[in-house]
Amino acid sequence: MNIIIDTHIFLWALSEPHKISEKKQAELKTPANTIYVSSITMVELMLKTSVGILNIKFDPVDAAQQSGFELLDFSAKDAMPLKDMPFHHKDPFDRMLIAQSVARKFHLMSDETKFKAYGCKLI
């Protein structure tokens, strides 16, 4: 299974794995699954750090790779579902992750309950 992890799941996996449910942890550890950290997550982390919302003092790209996660670039085709996506949720980073998961037919791992309204394959 191909799984894109939401930004909070990525941060928890690095420093607070106890916050991730047992079901989600099992999916993260399943060797048959490919776990992706989207370039959208990197944008979110860097922008929020630049304005003082987060304090990232590590290289998230290096951390993702050392954790066994694959990096996933956001493409023009990934953006296409945004055109018809309803506004159940207005966070632009979350909306782009949802669009990417829909465009690629990947699962999306998040604790954000509003994601269910989009019909994406949510874990």
Side-chain angles (χ1 to χ4, degrees):
M1 179 176 358
N2 293 311
I3 302 170
I4 300 170
I5 57 174
D6 196 357
T7 305
H8 67 276
I9 299 290
F10 173 57
L11 292 175
W12 291 349
L14 296 178
S15 62
E16 300 179 281
H18 63 275
K19 289 187 174 184
I20 302 171
S21 73
E22 287 182 28
K23 179 184 185 259
K24 288 182 176 87
Q25 284 189 36
E27 294 293 354
L28 292 173
K29 294 175 185 173
T30 299
N33 292 342
T34 303
I35 310 301
Y36 292 98
V37 177
S38 175
S39 59
I40 297 305
T41 290
M42 298 302 169
V43 172
E44 181 176 13
L45 292 174
M46 295 303 95
L47 283 175
K48 287 183 176 180
T49 296
S50 74
V51 297
I53 295 171
L54 288 175
N55 187 16
I56 304 294
K57 294 189 182 241
F58 60 91
D59 180 336
V61 171
D62 185 54
Q65 291 172 326
Q66 288 195 17
S67 297
F69 302 138
E70 298 290 328
L71 298 175
L72 182 66
D73 288 335
F74 188 83
S75 72
K77 287 184 179 182
D78 291 334
M80 299 312 293
L82 290 166
K83 177 178 84 72
D84 297 316
M85 189 180 291
F87 279 91
H88 300 299
H89 190 63
K90 295 189 181 183
D91 182 302
F93 303 112
D94 287 348
R95 291 176 58 78
M96 286 185 277
L97 289 175
I98 293 165
Q100 188 173 40
S101 74
V102 168
R104 293 178 184 248
K105 297 181 173 77
F106 286 5
H107 287 76
L108 180 60
M109 183 181 289
S110 178
D111 278 354
E112 179 58 64
T113 57
K114 291 180 183 177
F115 286 13
K116 292 177 185 174
Y118 291 97
C120 57
K121 299 175 186 176
L122 189 61
I123 296 175

